[in-house]
Amino acid sequence: MVLPLELLQQFKSSDFTDQEEYQAWQKRNLKMLEAGLLLHPHMPLDKVNTVGQRLRQIIQSALERPLETGRNNESMQVLRTTVMALASRSSDGSLLESCHWADGIPLNLRLYEMLLEACFDINDETSIIDEVDELMELIKKTWGILGLNQMLHNLCFTWVLFNRYVATGQVENDLLDAADNQLAEVAKDAKVTKDPVYSKILSSTLTAILGWAEKRLLAYHETFDSGKIDSMQSIVSIGVSAAKILVEDISNEYRRRRKNETDVVRSRIETYIRSSLRTAFAQRMEKADSSRRSSRNQLNSLPVLAILAKDVGDLAMKENDIFSPILKRWHPFAAGVAVATLHACYGNELKQFIAGITELTPDAVQILRAADKLEKDLVNIAVEDSVDSDDGGKAIIREMPPYEAEGAIANMVKVWIKTRIDRLKEWVERTLQQEVWSPQADQEGCAPSAIEVLRLVDETLDAYFQLPIPLHPALLPDLMTGLDKCLQFYVTKAKSGCGSRNTYIPTMPALTRCTVGTKFQWKKKEKAVNSHRRNPQVATMNGDSSFGVPQACVRINTLHKIRMELEVVEKRIITLLRNSESAQVEDFSNGLGKKFELTPAACIEAIQQLCEAVAYKIVFHDLSHALWDSLYVGELSSSRIEPFLQDLERNLTVISDTIHERVRTRIIADIMRASFDGFLFVLLAGGPLRAFSRQDSQIIEDDFKSLKDLFWANGDGLPADVIDNFSSTARDVLPLFRTDTESLIERFRRLTLETYGSSAKSRLPLPPTSGQWNPTEPNTLLRVLCYRHDEAASKFLKKAYNLPKKL
């Protein structure tokens, strides 16, 4: 029989002295039917079962309006039909003769649970009564009736303690600790029994406990954020204990695998950490985005990822200070797992940001610097947390691939540098195409473009050191190299087209011999046809006013100015470095990467080239009428050096007034050397319009002395030792002009034989022109003989080389 149904049919309200007592009795029996047939049936009941739904409706109606029991009325017949249909169910759907409404574990456990709840004080739901031990002895006597044992008692009592903690608002942690302690007994039981009924109950009970715990632990930053941290340890403990039993003692999959391959507890803790921090990160990101939107119109509002980096740093500190110490009990490297998770979360956002940036903006730098600081803080926490691990924390660090924030900053700074340098180089090229190199009194004789290019270099350096980056010392060499190349480019452009020493030296005419006879008539007759082949470049440059002597002096001044200013710039760079937030002592203790390597040498070389070009242009081109076309053409006494000296002195005055005093000695010395070279060129390669007798040597020597005196200037000119040094070649060659012809011929033969050996005995070879005049050099001696107005010299040249008398 179904006892509660039979009781309801036998007793009516008149059998009770009190109506309330009758209603309580009826309610109790209905609840019993509900427990045995609907809530805890021996055979599971489908929720959509129509009979079950009908019984629920009947019970619900009866609880609101009591049934009329003790009679065979319609409502009692419906109740009986419904109850018997549910009580007689079988697994195959057929109806059984016997009833199964209260047999077995499900209902018995519910009854036992209610008995155990009697251990709690009725006036204080979270406290256990003092007589609990005596009561427990009485309760345990029901085991035989209910078919229970110690293992089921342990499991049921664990659930009762846990459920009471949850039902009473989760305020009494002692209840949770007691449940956790009781669960330790359950863990022992689970290892020694394989009873499928027990395992099924154990699984459903622990799944409920674990589900409740994990709902809190998978977002523990949110769960325990408001001063509820005290309960966290107990919740973690009961959660991981439940998980451990479920996996190790119930899961078939776990049994199939080697147990040492899976650390259940660590795995669960890692899951809680990663899930919690990902949730917290998402909330911080949303908050940062909202904060950015609300402050969009404010000055100096931080970009979202910069705000987020600070928030993530705070989150990591909170994790390390509050949660990791609790979680370390189950996972010794909990803090490392936490920061690795945060590192990955922020890294994903940063990676997308870096992929989208194309230029160095203040926001970009701010974000990357914030990311770099965050990464350093996270790595420090991970390293400290893993100091005692077997691998020294390498496994955790491997989970934290570098953000490369510094690398991203460096790449953007390099783009910034390239843009600036390209712009500067374009400016140099465009400006120098328009530069006229006209002397400017207010510019120290320099080109305006030089002042401007130096200003732009200063401006670029200022802009670089104002970039809000931590890498000024590291990337300075890149900027210096770019600026150096730009200035070198300026120097190259400044000297280009001005020619060099060789541009202005005329081509030497072919060797001829003198006609001996009336000395001067033929010279005057042929004077008009005297010419020499000049470099075609000279004619081109002569038509361009930017290549005049004053303009060349401005170019030289400009290059000198740049060279001097570079030293000032280099000192300024050291000052800027010292004021840089990231500079270390070693950054300015050595000069590497802080000096101009190319431009100073380029300036020196260009100044040298320009000084020589100006000198040889003046002597061989501008004053060619007084030197090449006139000097010693015709009668020596009427074609001496004085006109050349006068023109040369005027040029020296212009140069002295124009050129910077630090370069003045250099260019005047070059003009002196060019003058000495020109003088010797007239004597040794002057063409057939010139001829000298031994008696002319005194005039030549006197003229050369006058030329030297011009540069001596009574002690106000070049130093005597410089003049002596530059005039050494002429000083050695001029004595040949007063040496007798026979001695010259004999010396020429001897030196030629020494040079060419026995092959020169049958016929003297014609020595090549080296241009390096020397009294012991055969070509120099040959040229003195070519211009010797002497019969013996002419015959020797005719016989030895068959030289013509004119071109």
Side-chain angles (χ1 to χ4, degrees):
M1 68 174 69
V2 179
L3 183 61
L5 177 63
E6 298 300 329
L7 291 173
L8 288 167
Q9 283 193 310
Q10 294 300 322
F11 292 94
K12 51 186 179 293
S13 61
S14 59
D15 294 326
F16 293 85
T17 56
D18 188 304
Q19 187 65 23
E20 286 184 9
E21 184 184 352
Y22 166 68
Q23 290 178 0
W25 167 84
Q26 184 183 125
K27 184 177 180 180
R28 187 158 58 248
N29 281 286
L30 288 170
K31 284 284 186 184
M32 196 68 185
L33 287 173
E34 182 185 40
L37 294 171
L38 296 177
L39 301 179
H40 309 285
H42 171 68
M43 189 176 297
L45 182 67
D46 192 344
K47 285 185 178 180
V48 297
N49 185 290
T50 55
V51 181
Q53 289 176 351
R54 192 181 308 130
L55 180 58
R56 281 193 189 91
Q57 291 170 358
I58 293 169
I59 293 173
Q60 186 63 39
S61 297
L63 292 175
E64 294 172 2
R65 183 180 180 186
L67 291 169
E68 188 177 346
T69 60
R71 297 187 180 188
N72 192 18
N73 54 29
E74 183 181 352
S75 59
M76 286 303 297
Q77 286 178 357
V78 172
L79 176 63
R80 182 176 187 83
T81 303
T82 306
V83 168
M84 294 308 292
L86 289 172
S88 305
R89 284 181 308 129
S90 65
S91 57
D92 60 3
S94 61
L95 295 177
L96 301 173
E97 292 184 5
S98 56
C99 298
H100 299 274
W101 70 277
D103 29 351
I105 290 298
L107 180 59
N108 293 358
L109 281 176
R110 174 58 186 148
L111 294 173
Y112 192 68
E113 179 187 340
M114 295 177 74
L115 289 173
L116 289 175
E117 284 177 352
C119 294
F120 292 100
D121 192 330
I122 195 168
N123 297 315
D124 184 358
E125 295 178 324
T126 61
S127 298
I128 292 175
I129 60 173
D130 295 337
E131 303 84 355
V132 65
D133 292 335
E134 295 89 333
L135 180 60
M136 194 64 78
E137 287 302 317
L138 288 172
I139 291 172
K140 284 182 180 181
K141 289 179 180 179
T142 65
W143 287 2
I145 301 166
L146 297 173
L148 304 182
N149 56 25
Q150 183 68 49
M151 287 192 298
L152 287 167
H153 164 80
N154 290 339
L155 180 58
C156 199
F157 195 39
T158 300
W159 173 257
V160 167
L161 291 167
F162 168 76
N163 194 49
R164 178 57 63 113
Y165 170 76
V166 175
T168 55
Q170 306 165 36
V171 294
E172 187 53 69
N173 290 332
D174 288 346
L175 284 173
L176 201 57
D177 291 337
D180 190 28
N181 293 334
Q182 194 65 35
L183 192 57
E185 298 300 317
V186 173
K188 295 176 189 175
D189 296 339
K191 291 192 180 299
V192 298
T193 181
K194 302 302 175 202
D195 178 12
V197 175
Y198 174 80
S199 294
K200 185 177 179 182
I201 298 165
L202 177 65
S203 178
S204 63
T205 305
L206 295 186
T207 299
I209 292 173
L210 182 60
W212 178 89
E214 289 199 333
K215 184 179 178 182
R216 286 143 186 80
L217 295 175
L218 289 171
Y220 59 71
H221 273 267
E222 193 173 340
T223 306
F224 304 107
D225 196 37
S226 55
K228 300 177 184 176
I229 195 69
D230 293 344
S231 63
M232 181 178 176
Q233 182 161 320
S234 300
I235 294 175
V236 174
S237 180
I238 203 167
V240 296
S241 297
K244 195 167 188 293
I245 297 168
L246 281 169
V247 174
E248 292 184 0
D249 300 312
I250 298 174
S251 169
N252 293 325
E253 181 185 351
Y254 181 82
R255 291 196 193 98
R256 286 197 299 269
R257 298 167 63 181
R258 291 173 57 193
K259 292 189 178 183
N260 59 1
E261 290 179 4
T262 306
D263 187 331
V264 177
V265 174
R266 280 201 187 188
S267 174
R268 298 312 299 174
I269 295 297
E270 286 192 15
T271 300
Y272 302 153
I273 292 171
R274 295 188 194 283
S275 172
S276 260
L277 287 171
R278 284 171 187 148
T279 302
F281 177 84
Q283 291 169 345
R284 297 301 192 285
M285 187 159 182
E286 188 177 337
K287 178 183 169 187
D289 198 30
S290 172
S291 173
R292 172 68 173 181
R293 282 198 301 272
S294 65
S295 63
R296 184 170 290 166
N297 297 325
Q298 298 176 14
L299 291 174
N300 303 319
S301 61
L302 287 171
V304 172
L305 284 182
I307 298 171
L308 188 60
K310 183 181 183 305
D311 288 349
V312 170
D314 293 343
L315 191 60
M317 293 305 296
K318 179 181 178 182
E319 179 76 21
N320 195 41
D321 294 342
I322 298 173
F323 298 112
S324 294
I326 294 171
L327 298 172
K328 269 183 178 293
R329 174 180 161 189
W330 296 276
H331 196 310
F333 313 120
V337 174
V339 295
T341 303
L342 288 173
H343 185 276
C345 289
Y346 188 83
N348 290 334
E349 300 298 325
L350 184 67
K351 187 177 180 181
Q352 294 176 33
F353 170 75
I354 290 174
I357 53 178
T358 56
E359 60 179 332
L360 191 69
T361 62
D363 275 10
V365 173
Q366 206 167 15
I367 288 168
L368 291 169
R369 291 193 71 174
D372 189 54
K373 180 183 182 303
L374 172 64
E375 182 169 49
K376 288 185 172 77
D377 292 343
L378 295 180
V379 168
N380 284 340
I381 292 172
V383 169
E384 287 173 11
D385 186 59
S386 308
V387 70
D388 296 326
S389 66
D390 294 338
D391 65 352
K394 290 179 182 175
I396 288 293
I397 299 301
R398 276 197 296 272
E399 279 192 51
M400 303 169 70
Y403 288 160
E404 304 292 357
E406 280 198 358
I409 292 175
N411 289 337
M412 287 194 293
V413 173
K414 286 176 182 177
V415 171
W416 182 92
I417 289 172
K418 185 179 184 302
T419 303
R420 286 283 184 138
I421 296 302
D422 288 348
R423 200 182 300 157
L424 182 57
K425 189 175 180 181
E426 287 171 10
W427 181 91
V428 168
E429 190 156 24
R430 188 174 62 252
T431 303
L432 289 192
Q433 286 174 354
Q434 302 166 358
E435 183 61 77
V436 295
W437 306 103
S438 175
Q440 302 285 328
D442 58 336
Q443 301 286 5
E444 304 175 32
C446 295
S449 60
I451 307 300
E452 184 63 14
V453 78
L454 289 168
R455 187 190 69 77
L456 290 173
V457 167
D458 274 347
E459 190 180 273
T460 303
L461 284 166
D462 285 339
Y464 174 74
F465 279 99
Q466 283 169 10
L467 293 176
I469 60 171
L471 303 168
H472 290 123
L475 295 174
L476 181 59
D478 291 49
L479 179 61
M480 289 300 291
T481 299
L483 292 174
D484 201 7
K485 287 181 178 176
C486 272
L487 290 172
Q488 185 192 32
F489 179 68
Y490 181 98
V491 171
T492 303
K493 285 285 185 181
K495 73 172 184 178
S496 65
C498 293
S500 64
R501 174 179 180 273
N502 294 332
T503 306
Y504 300 98
I505 295 178
T507 306
M508 289 190 186
L511 291 173
T512 56
R513 58 192 173 90
C514 288
T515 300
V516 182
T518 304
K519 184 177 179 185
F520 305 115
Q521 288 178 351
W522 60 270
K523 290 183 185 175
K524 291 178 182 176
K525 187 179 179 182
E526 294 183 9
K527 184 173 182 179
V529 299
N530 182 47
S531 65
H532 62 286
R533 285 169 289 166
R534 292 184 181 141
N535 191 320
Q537 187 182 345
V538 175
T540 305
M541 290 186 296
N542 198 39
D544 188 344
S545 62
S546 67
F547 294 110
V549 171
Q551 287 75 22
C553 289
V554 171
R555 292 175 191 254
I556 293 168
N557 286 344
T558 298
L559 299 179
H560 176 73
K561 170 79 172 176
I562 288 174
R563 186 185 165 212
M564 293 298 101
E565 285 297 317
L566 292 186
E567 296 176 8
V568 177
V569 174
E570 287 170 353
K571 289 177 182 175
R572 188 161 171 270
I573 288 168
I574 297 298
T575 303
L576 289 168
L577 260 181
R578 288 184 190 280
N579 295 332
S580 170
E581 61 174 287
S582 55
Q584 306 295 323
V585 174
E586 59 269 19
D587 290 328
F588 32 80
S589 60
N590 63 70
L592 194 64
K594 293 173 281 296
K595 290 186 176 295
F596 294 94
E597 304 291 337
L598 303 173
T599 309
C603 285
I604 292 170
E605 182 187 346
I607 290 170
Q608 179 181 340
Q609 180 184 325
L610 285 171
C611 285
E612 285 186 349
V614 169
Y616 282 82
K617 181 177 187 293
I618 289 171
V619 171
F620 286 94
H621 182 267
D622 297 354
L623 302 185
S624 62
H625 63 280
L627 181 72
W628 183 258
D629 296 340
S630 305
L631 184 61
Y632 302 146
V633 173
E635 177 62 50
L636 257 68
S637 60
S638 60
S639 59
R640 292 184 66 176
I641 202 167
E642 189 58 35
F644 173 71
L645 295 180
Q646 290 172 359
D647 288 348
L648 185 58
E649 187 172 18
R650 277 193 292 274
N651 276 274
L652 289 173
T653 301
V654 171
I655 287 170
S656 295
D657 291 343
T658 309
I659 208 79
H660 192 282
E661 61 181 7
R662 295 280 294 275
V663 197
R664 193 176 298 151
T665 298
R666 169 64 195 257
I667 192 169
I668 291 176
D670 279 335
I671 294 171
M672 179 177 70
R673 181 172 62 180
S675 301
F676 293 169
D677 284 354
F679 188 75
L680 288 177
F681 207 91
V682 166
L683 296 177
L684 299 174
L689 297 185
R690 292 179 170 90
F692 308 103
S693 65
R694 287 180 64 194
Q695 291 74 27
D696 293 335
S697 62
Q698 189 58 53
I699 291 176
I700 293 169
E701 290 177 9
D702 289 346
D703 281 355
F704 186 68
K705 182 178 182 303
S706 298
L707 182 58
K708 289 195 296 180
D709 287 345
L710 174 66
F711 291 99
W712 165 246
N714 295 319
D716 292 332
L718 295 175
D721 58 340
V722 174
I723 297 172
D724 287 344
N725 183 42
F726 278 68
S727 64
S728 60
T729 300
R731 195 167 57 244
D732 293 340
V733 170
L734 290 185
L736 296 177
F737 286 85
R738 61 171 176 265
T739 304
D740 63 89
T741 303
E742 289 73 17
S743 297
L744 288 173
I745 292 170
E746 180 56 35
R747 192 188 300 182
F748 174 73
R749 286 181 186 277
R750 178 170 51 77
L751 290 173
T752 303
L753 286 170
E754 287 175 3
T755 303
Y756 295 98
S758 57
S759 63
K761 287 182 180 178
S762 58
R763 182 177 177 82
L764 288 172
L766 186 67
T769 301
S770 68
Q772 302 298 317
W773 313 128
N774 192 301
T776 61
E777 193 251 341
N779 186 265
T780 303
L781 292 167
L782 178 63
R783 287 178 174 278
V784 174
L785 289 170
C786 284
Y787 295 102
R788 176 60 61 88
H789 191 255
D790 182 278
E791 186 70 34
S794 185
K795 285 182 177 179
F796 170 73
L797 295 171
K798 171 71 176 174
K799 181 180 179 183
Y801 302 112
N802 196 27
L803 292 181
K805 291 183 179 179
K806 57 184 177 181
L807 297 174

